[in-house]
Amino acid sequence: MLTHAGFFTTIGIDGPTDAELEAAAIAAFAPDPGSDILTFDGRPLGRTMTVTGAFDVNAEDGSFFNAIIGYPVGSVRTAIVGEFTILHPLRPGDHELYAAVSFAGGANGAFDATYHLHVG
């Protein structure tokens, strides 16, 4: 399973309750439709928008939550909205996964990456 486009919110930054975390994540998830691309070996992949609801993440020392956002080590309440894709077992050989997305109004930057996979 992978996600190339998503947005997360956390208690203390985006709201004090689970409902507010989820609503803030939904409101902020706004990919530009023309930039939202996910292909495997040149063919578009289906994606499903998923709202996780609020849950606890363990912020480990040096993790994104700890090192980048500045949360102390320990439990962090968060909610995520994203486009998720499941890659079924792949046939042997070389494959290319391409993912790109930018967000409305330039919020949260842009993402563009090509992954080269080898299945033995």
Side-chain angles (χ1 to χ4, degrees), residues 8-11 13-14 55-80:
F8 70 91
T9 55
T10 57
I11 281 189
I13 295 176
D14 301 294
F55 63 98
D56 292 322
V57 171
N58 185 29
E60 297 179 359
D61 187 35
S63 69
F64 178 82
F65 282 113
N66 173 253
I68 305 299
I69 298 177
Y71 275 104
V73 171
S75 183
V76 177
R77 196 79 175 153
T78 191
I80 299 172

Side-chain angles (χ1 to χ4, degrees), residues 4 30-38 47 83 100-105:
H4 80 291
D32 284 327
S35 75
D36 192 0
I37 302 164
L38 185 62
R47 299 177 303 274
E83 293 178 344
V101 67
S102 62
F103 289 87

Side-chain angles (χ1 to χ4, degrees), residues 20 31 33 36 40-41 78 84 92 101:
E20 288 174 311
D36 192 0
F40 183 77
D41 291 342
T78 191
F84 292 83
V101 67

